[in-house]
């Protein structure tokens, strides 16, 4: 189950997301250098002949010399696309690309989507089987029942790599994890528990099979379809459904639920009434997983039975059954031991690992983002989808189960080292940013979009509102409503728009601004003009007067000009100077670079302050800060005239440490970027105090910083976040003029969450 249906967006926004820049959501990136003729000779002819001969002699070498061991095919024929039905193979491609993105994002598994234009089961099976030399695993997706059962079973028998139909087993594994914990909380034994399954499709049959593998007796599980209970001897059911026929005299869902301990629904909205819930056993367990609307909502179930534990497939209720908790990490573990398949032992191990993780203390960043309880309980029986511990816990459990059950062909000798390698695969920044988005949804704020007449700003504001992150407050003239309508918004007047020409707040604003600026050479009429004509001034005053919680601007004016206008209204934080940070996010690393926007020639004390606060931001985003004060000089070589502020900044921090001030991060300088970032270069200076490559770069001055940041932004594109403004008394973010709607949305979420203050 997933929560896509709970996030609202316009059709135009969805199409723009998929079409802007490079169409689609994936690309192929070379993992080896391809710059020189020698590189090409090694990558292709004649150098490629060497691994070819090695693989021909020993096929297992393919895992050593090619990407096979980290490559999964996401395959569909489009016969059951999401909830849309049979729309064909080509129409399924956006979904399969999306699944490939999730594999990479959550578990660093490379994935290729493959859409097969056939509904013939045999042709489909033959096509997939022939691809075994290419891939380390096969993820089947969106294939209708009962064909999906035949396809998966046949491929598992014929292929010696993992084959996994996520629509079946992904849901089953996450639901099983929740069931383990719900049984624990209510003091039940699975061997004596009575469960009613409403729905008899692929996911329901997989859930039933896995739960029985965990110990539930055959007749303790009653499966229902549209016609009622599937009982032993009933006609009109297929062989996969009849495998779950029970010896019972109950014939309807209503009868089945009388005295039942557990309800699991993979059927349709409203299938269960409050009276049915009242008829269940004490402390009933209800997994209403129909999407987008469950069989019964948690408030309805709780109203009927306050002692119930309730889970759904939705993210806006507690206990979400979300497949992303499973399939990326299951394949990660299976690939890492080169498993020949994914068996029940591995599925149960994944479910048990997820259940055990939910019983552990919830990390502070997850608790803050989701607003969940800080401990295991009825409203927290399944881990949150963005819990950073998933990558370490679930693959390790799956890998060990594969080894214990005999399907691993490359066992892991050192599990401590393996867990460390799993942590190293993922960049914590991506988890923190995901948590920031979830936190915004859990605690929505009002965010000012100062340039509300610009299309890119409106698209970001629409995404902010329809994503559930808060309320966008738009600054602009009346044409904002027309622009919203042009972007596909059905009810533009549902958006809050502040127009300085007609706002009743203008007199208060003028009084406030004149009070600030009258001793800086400004007349009252000049303040009136600024309030009426300058969107940044007007928006900043709205923020100061409490009309919103945060503000974003920047796409129509240079960063420096926007900053000057904001500072006329909003002061820097009392704790130090404002500055900007560009964040370079790679697959496995993040680098924070400051100050890139504000201070032309910061003093040593200011550089030290910038270092401390940037290190604090880095730590809040999951990194152990290693700070390098950058220069063209490496510890005094060559000598120069403009090194004193950098060198003395290190001395300022040293003096603080000597005075007992706790500086809980590594720092060193002065040094150039290659020494700071390249371990081989750093090793030439054994006295250096950095234990590894720097991840916080403190720039010596604005000229070099601004040039570097602009270069990175143009060369690295969407992997650069920022500039992120730190050090203002109110949450304000100033975007680059070239920002996309997605980048503006990220800054709006960061501003709303206060992560950069």
């Amino acid at each position: 189950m997933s929560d896509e249906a709970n996030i609202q967006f316009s059709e135009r926004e969805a199409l723009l997301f998929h079409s802007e820049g490079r169409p689609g959501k994936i690309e192929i990136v070379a993992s080896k250098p391809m710059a020189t003729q020698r590189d090409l000779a090694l990558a292709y002819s004649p150098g490629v002949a060497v691994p070819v001969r090695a693989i021909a002699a020993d096929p297992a070498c393919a895992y050593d010399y090619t990407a096979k061991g980290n490559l999964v095919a996401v395959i569909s024929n489009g016969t059951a696309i999401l909830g849309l039905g049979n729309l064909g193979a080509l129409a399924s491609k956006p979904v399969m690309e999306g699944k490939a993105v999730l594999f990479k994002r959550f578990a660093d598994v490379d994935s290729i989507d493959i859409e097969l234009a056939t509904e013939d089961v045999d042709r489909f099976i033959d096509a997939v089987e022939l691809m075994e030399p290419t891939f380390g695993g096969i993820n089947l997706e969106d294939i209708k029942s009962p064909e999906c059962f035949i396809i998966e079973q046949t491929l598992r028998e014929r292929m010696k790599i993992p084959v996994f139909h996520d629509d079946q087993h992904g849901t089953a594994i996450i639901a099983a994890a929740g069931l383990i914990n719900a049984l624990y909380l209510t003091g039940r034994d699975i061997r004596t528990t009575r469960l009613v399954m409403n729905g008899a499709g692929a996911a329901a049959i997989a859930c039933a099979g896995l739960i029985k593998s965990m110990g539930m007796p055959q007749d303790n599980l009653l499966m229902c379809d549209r016609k009622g209970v599937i009982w032993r001897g009933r006609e009109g059911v297929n062989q996969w459904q009849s495998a779950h026929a029970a010896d019972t005299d109950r014939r309807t869902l209503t009868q089945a639920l009388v005295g039942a301990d557990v309800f699991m629904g993979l059927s349709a909205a409203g299938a269960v009434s409050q009276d049915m819930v009242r008829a269940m056993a004490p402390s009933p367990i209800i997994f209403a997983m129909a999407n987008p609307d469950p069989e019964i909502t948690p408030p309805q179930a709780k109203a009927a039975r306050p002692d119930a534990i309730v889970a759904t497939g939705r993210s806006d209720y507690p206990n979400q059954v979300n497949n992303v908790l499973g399939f990326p990490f299951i394949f990660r573990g299976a690939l890492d031991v080169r498993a020949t398949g994914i068996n029940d032992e591995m599925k149960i191990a994944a479910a048990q690992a997820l259940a055990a993780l939910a019983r552990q203390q919830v990390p502070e960043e997850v608790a803050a983002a989701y607003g969940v309880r800080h401990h295991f309980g009825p409203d927290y029986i399944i881990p949150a989808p963005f819990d950073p511990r998933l990558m370490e816990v679930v693959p390790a459990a799956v890998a060990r189960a594969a080894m214990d059950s005999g399907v691993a062909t490359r066992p892991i000798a050192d599990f401590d080292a393996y867990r460390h390698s799993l942590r190293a695969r993922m960049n914590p920044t991506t988890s923190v940013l995901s948590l920031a988005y979830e936190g915004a949804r859990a605690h929505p704020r009002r965010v000012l979009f100062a340039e509300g007449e610009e299309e890119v700003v409106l698209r970001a504001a629409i995404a902010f509102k329809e994503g559930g992150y808060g309320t966008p407050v738009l600054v602009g003239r009346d044409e904002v409503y027309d622009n919203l309508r042009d972007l596909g918004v059905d009810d533009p007047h549902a958006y809050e728009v502040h127009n300085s020409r007609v706002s009743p707040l203008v007199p208060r604003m003028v009084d406030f601004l004149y009070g600030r600026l009258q001793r800086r050479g400004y007349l009252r009429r000049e303040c009136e003009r600024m309030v009426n004509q300058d969107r940044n001034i007007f928006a900043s005053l709205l923020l100061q007067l409490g009309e919103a919680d945060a503000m974003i601007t920047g796409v129509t004016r240079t960063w420096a000009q926007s900053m000057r206008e904001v500072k006329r209204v909003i002061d820097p934080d009392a704790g130090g100077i404002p500055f900007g940070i560009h964040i370079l996010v790679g697959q496995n690393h993040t680098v924070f670079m400051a100050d890139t926007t504000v201070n032309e020639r910061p003093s040593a004390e200011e550089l030290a302050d910038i270092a401390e606060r940037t290190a604090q931001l880095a730590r809040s985003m999951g990194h152990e800060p290693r700070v390098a004060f950058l220069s063209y000089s490496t510890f005094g070589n060559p000598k120069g005239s403009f090194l004193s502020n950098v060198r003395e900044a290190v001395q300022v921090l040293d003096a603080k440490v000597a005075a007992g001030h706790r500086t809980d991060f590594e720092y060193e300088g002065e040094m150039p970027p290659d020494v700071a970032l390249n371990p081989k270069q750093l090793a030439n200076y054994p006295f250096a105090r950095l234990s590894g490559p720097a991840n916080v770069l403190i720039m010596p001055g604005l000229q070099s910083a601004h040039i570097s940041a602009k270069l990175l932004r143009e060369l690295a594109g969407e992997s650069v976040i920022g500039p992120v403004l730190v050090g203002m008394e109110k949450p304000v973010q100033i975007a680059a003029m070239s920002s996309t709607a997605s980048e503006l949305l990220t800054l709006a979420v960061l501003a709303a969450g206060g992560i950069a203050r």
Side-chain angles (χ1 to χ4, degrees):
M1 310 306 292
S2 60
D3 65 333
E4 290 88 344
N6 305 321
I7 300 176
Q8 303 300 313
F9 45 79
S10 68
E11 290 188 4
R12 177 184 171 91
E13 183 70 18
L15 293 175
L16 282 170
F17 176 86
H18 287 83
S19 64
E20 279 188 326
R22 185 190 298 266
K25 299 185 287 291
I26 61 175
E27 63 177 322
I28 302 296
V29 178
S31 61
K32 299 294 189 295
M34 295 290 162
T36 68
Q37 185 64 34
R38 182 174 179 80
D39 293 338
L40 295 176
L42 285 167
Y44 195 54
S45 182
V48 75
V50 179
V52 166
R53 286 192 293 267
I55 294 169
D58 179 5
C61 288
Y63 288 90
D64 300 317
Y65 302 129
T66 75
K68 177 181 173 72
N70 196 51
L71 192 60
V72 168
V74 179
I75 304 180
S76 181
N77 62 0
T79 53
I81 304 174
L82 302 176
L84 304 174
N86 185 352
L87 299 181
L90 185 59
S92 74
K93 189 171 181 64
V95 183
M96 300 310 114
E97 282 189 358
K99 197 65 175 271
V101 170
L102 294 179
F103 267 113
K104 189 66 177 178
R105 159 63 181 84
F106 284 96
D108 193 25
V109 172
D110 295 320
S111 184
I112 299 293
D113 66 292
I114 295 174
E115 294 74 35
L116 298 178
T118 181
E119 294 187 26
D120 184 289
V121 169
D122 292 330
R123 292 184 68 195
F124 188 101
I125 290 169
D126 289 343
V128 176
E129 182 185 5
L130 291 171
M131 290 186 280
E132 182 168 355
T134 303
F135 297 101
I138 303 294
N139 183 99
L140 302 173
E141 196 79 18
D142 288 359
I143 303 168
K144 68 184 177 73
S145 173
E147 288 89 336
C148 62
F149 303 118
I150 302 170
I151 289 169
E152 185 192 38
Q153 182 60 38
T154 305
L155 289 173
R156 289 178 61 185
E157 292 170 357
R158 293 186 186 179
M159 302 178 79
K160 298 302 181 185
I161 58 175
V163 178
F164 186 83
H165 185 209
D166 186 50
D167 297 324
Q168 297 180 55
H169 308 296
T171 301
I173 290 164
I174 313 309
L179 180 62
I180 290 169
N181 281 337
L183 294 177
Y184 174 84
L185 286 170
T186 57
R188 289 180 167 97
D189 185 330
I190 194 169
R191 293 169 296 182
T192 57
T193 296
R194 289 188 52 236
L195 185 149
V196 175
M197 180 78 67
N198 196 46
I205 288 172
C207 286
L210 187 61
I211 290 168
K212 289 178 180 178
S213 295
M214 293 165 55
M216 180 169 285
Q218 170 76 12
D219 289 336
N220 281 27
L221 191 153
L222 301 185
M223 179 175 286
C224 302
D225 62 9
R226 292 184 180 90
K227 296 180 180 179
V229 176
I230 297 175
W231 45 275
R232 196 164 297 149
R234 188 185 126 178
E235 297 181 353
V237 295
N238 62 42
Q239 66 187 81
W240 297 277
Q241 295 166 339
S242 65
H244 298 288
D247 186 7
T248 179
D249 58 359
R250 304 191 186 204
R251 296 293 182 263
T252 67
L253 175 62
T254 300
Q255 293 172 353
L257 280 172
V258 174
D261 300 295
V262 183
F263 168 80
M264 277 197 178
L266 288 150
S267 52
V272 173
S273 69
Q274 289 182 309
D275 285 340
M276 293 180 187
V277 172
R278 291 187 187 99
M280 293 179 70
S283 300
I285 299 166
I286 300 168
F287 281 43
M289 297 179 284
N291 254 341
D293 298 310
E295 287 82 358
I296 185 170
T297 67
Q300 291 170 335
K302 290 281 192 179
R305 291 293 297 272
D307 58 342
I309 295 176
V310 188
T312 70
R314 294 177 54 140
S315 64
D316 50 349
Y317 295 124
N319 300 325
Q320 183 194 13
V321 178
N322 189 332
N323 284 19
V324 81
L325 288 163
F327 69 85
F329 311 109
I330 292 164
F331 268 98
R332 178 77 274 154
L335 292 171
D336 289 341
V337 294
R338 297 182 190 173
T340 57
I342 296 174
N343 55 29
D344 280 350
E345 291 87 345
M346 295 160 73
K347 297 172 197 172
I348 293 171
Q352 291 173 337
L354 288 167
L357 184 60
R359 293 195 293 270
Q360 296 177 17
Q361 182 73 20
V362 179
E364 286 300 319
E365 64 269 27
V366 176
Y370 286 91
V372 297
R373 301 164 70 98
H374 283 245
H375 57 82
F376 170 62
D379 289 334
Y380 190 76
I381 59 172
I382 301 172
F386 293 105
D387 191 322
R389 301 171 297 173
L390 288 164
M391 178 59 165
E392 180 181 351
V393 171
V394 181
V398 171
R400 190 178 293 278
M403 292 163 53
D404 293 343
S405 61
V407 297
T409 62
R410 191 186 68 172
I412 293 168
D414 185 342
F415 264 84
D416 288 337
Y418 177 54
R419 285 174 175 267
H420 180 77
S421 72
L422 290 171
R423 288 194 297 269
R425 276 185 175 274
M426 298 308 298
N427 189 337
T429 300
T430 56
S431 292
V432 171
L433 288 175
S434 298
L435 288 170
Y437 273 79
E438 294 302 313
R441 294 180 67 192
H443 309 286
R445 300 284 190 269
R446 291 168 55 82
V447 174
L448 280 156
F449 290 79
E451 299 149 312
E453 292 157 354
E454 302 298 315
E455 179 179 337
V456 67
V457 174
L458 287 178
R459 285 171 48 208
I462 292 168
F464 188 80
K465 176 181 174 66
E466 295 183 344
Y469 306 120
T471 301
V473 181
L474 303 174
V475 172
R477 308 302 187 196
D478 289 340
E479 55 263 36
V480 170
Y481 296 116
D482 294 331
N483 295 344
L484 285 168
R485 189 173 289 106
D486 291 342
L487 289 172
V489 175
D490 293 331
D491 183 11
H493 288 277
Y495 283 75
E496 182 178 340
V497 178
H498 286 256
N499 184 344
S500 62
R501 290 178 180 171
V502 297
S503 173
L505 299 171
V506 166
R508 286 178 58 200
M509 291 179 171
V510 173
D511 290 343
F512 182 93
L513 188 62
Y514 184 55
R516 282 179 59 85
L517 302 181
Q518 60 190 357
R519 294 185 180 275
R520 302 184 204 175
Y522 289 88
L523 301 174
R524 185 177 181 87
R525 63 174 176 269
E526 292 177 292
C527 294
E528 291 172 347
R529 177 186 57 79
M530 285 189 284
V531 170
N532 284 310
Q533 298 182 14
D534 191 300
R535 287 181 290 187
N536 282 336
I537 297 289
F538 182 70
S540 299
L541 286 163
L542 286 171
L543 185 59
Q544 279 284 24
L545 296 179
E547 295 297 316
D549 303 301
M551 168 182 163
I552 183 168
T553 187
V555 300
T556 61
R557 304 178 190 186
T558 65
W559 202 99
Q561 182 180 353
S562 294
M563 184 65 175
R564 285 195 300 270
E565 291 160 354
V566 169
K567 287 177 69 176
R568 286 176 178 166
V569 181
I570 300 172
D571 289 326
D573 235 346
I577 60 170
F579 61 94
I581 303 172
H582 277 77
I583 307 173
L584 178 63
V585 182
Q587 175 63 32
N588 306 109
H589 72 280
T590 295
V591 175
F592 301 81
M593 186 167 65
D595 167 29
T596 54
T597 55
V598 181
N599 304 286
E600 186 172 4
R601 287 290 295 168
S603 67
E605 290 75 14
E606 289 170 336
L607 285 175
D609 178 59
I610 290 169
E612 288 188 287
R613 288 198 282 166
T614 307
Q616 182 181 8
L617 176 62
R619 177 167 281 117
S620 74
M621 299 185 79
H623 301 271
E624 193 59 36
R626 293 184 297 274
V627 176
F629 289 88
L630 295 190
S631 170
Y632 62 85
S633 171
T634 309
F635 303 113
N637 182 25
K639 300 184 183 302
S641 304
F642 302 101
L643 299 175
S644 59
N645 64 332
V646 178
R647 188 172 298 152
E648 290 169 10
V650 178
Q651 296 170 3
V652 168
L653 292 179
D654 286 345
K656 286 187 173 184
V657 173
H661 177 78
R662 184 171 178 266
T663 304
D664 57 348
F665 58 88
E666 299 176 10
Y667 59 92
E668 188 57 283
E670 74 275 10
M671 61 177 66
D674 58 340
V675 175
L677 298 172
N678 189 325
K680 292 182 179 179
Q681 290 278 43
L682 185 62
N684 293 324
Y685 304 92
F687 56 85
R689 294 179 287 190
L690 297 183
S691 61
N695 53 15
V696 175
L697 306 179
I698 305 302
M699 306 300 287
L702 190 57
Q703 181 166 329
S704 59
H706 204 59
I707 291 171
S708 299
K710 294 281 188 179
L711 277 172
L712 281 174
R713 186 174 180 83
E714 292 305 313
L715 295 175
E718 294 180 356
S719 61
V720 177
I721 299 173
V724 176
L725 180 58
V726 175
M728 298 296 287
E729 69 174 4
K730 297 282 186 180
V732 177
Q733 291 301 324
I734 302 174
M737 293 179 69
S738 59
S739 296
T740 65
S742 178
E743 290 167 335
L744 292 175
L745 176 61
T746 296
L747 285 179
V749 168
L750 293 178
I755 194 170
R757 289 193 62 197

